[in-house]
């Protein structure tokens, strides 16, 4: 997440833990475990998390929001995330693909009940 978006969300009262600030060098698997342990939502531009959660059956945080934006100003992801979270849409328990003009979501399987399936970026 760009720092202006992180600052924006913090100013709006969201409890944001920035991996860049606090855990530089941590692996994607480590990020998933940290977010799961702390019950934090994961906001990311990295498509690898879908592969890790759905295909490799890694532990998952309560919600993952994958931002797919072709072009944007550094503050735009913060605005989109705030809008998605504050709208009356249940995102908890979902892998969310957030684009400029739409939101798609797919239920994150329970770690004990994950069925084999192929996930591709853009699936929801």
């Amino acid at each position: 997440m760009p720092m202006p978006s992180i600052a924006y969300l913090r100013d709006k009262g969201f409890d944001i833990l920035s991996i860049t600030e606090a855990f530089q060098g941590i692996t994607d698997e480590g990020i998933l475990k940290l977010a799961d342990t702390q019950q934090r939502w994961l906001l990311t531009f990295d498509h690898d998390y879908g592969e890790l959660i759905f295909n490799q059956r890694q532990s998952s945080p309560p919600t993952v929001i994958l931002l797919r934006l072709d072009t944007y100003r550094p503050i735009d992801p913060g605005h989109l995330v705030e809008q998605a979270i504050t709208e009356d849409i249940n995102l908890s328990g979902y892998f969310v693909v957030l684009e400029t003009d739409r939101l798609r979501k797919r239920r994150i399987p329970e770690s004990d009940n994950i069925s084999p399936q192929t996930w591709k970026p853009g699936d929801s």
Side-chain angles (χ1 to χ4, degrees):
M1 284 294 275
M3 286 310 295
S5 286
I6 291 170
Y8 174 80
L9 290 170
R10 284 177 176 157
D11 287 346
K12 292 294 184 174
F14 292 96
D15 178 18
I16 303 292
L17 173 65
S18 168
I19 296 300
T20 303
E21 293 174 323
F23 296 97
Q24 262 188 341
I26 190 172
T27 65
D28 289 347
E29 293 85 354
I31 292 169
L32 282 176
K33 186 173 182 175
L34 177 69
D36 182 30
T37 301
Q38 294 187 8
Q39 289 297 285
R40 290 181 174 273
W41 289 18
L42 176 61
L43 311 175
T44 185
F45 283 88
D46 189 343
H47 293 111
D48 293 343
Y49 291 105
E51 166 71 24
L52 292 170
I53 292 167
F54 291 104
N55 292 347
Q56 295 184 23
R57 303 179 182 175
Q58 299 286 320
S59 63
S60 175
T63 298
V64 176
I65 298 179
L66 171 65
L67 291 124
R68 292 187 59 190
L69 309 174
D70 293 327
T71 61
Y72 60 89
R73 295 172 304 155
I75 199 158
D76 291 345
H79 287 223
L80 287 170
V81 167
E82 177 194 28
Q83 180 181 359
I85 290 173
T86 57
E87 286 183 2
D88 190 21
I89 299 172
N90 179 20
L91 301 180
S92 185
Y94 287 93
F95 191 101
V96 177
V97 178
L98 183 58
E99 299 178 64
T100 304
D101 57 351
R102 69 180 177 158
L103 176 149
R104 295 173 289 140
K105 60 185 188 175
R106 177 179 178 184
R107 170 112 3 234
I108 295 174
E110 296 294 325
S111 57
D112 298 80
N113 301 328
I114 297 178
S115 60
Q117 55 189 311
T118 303
W119 182 87
K120 299 177 192 85
D123 280 358
S124 60

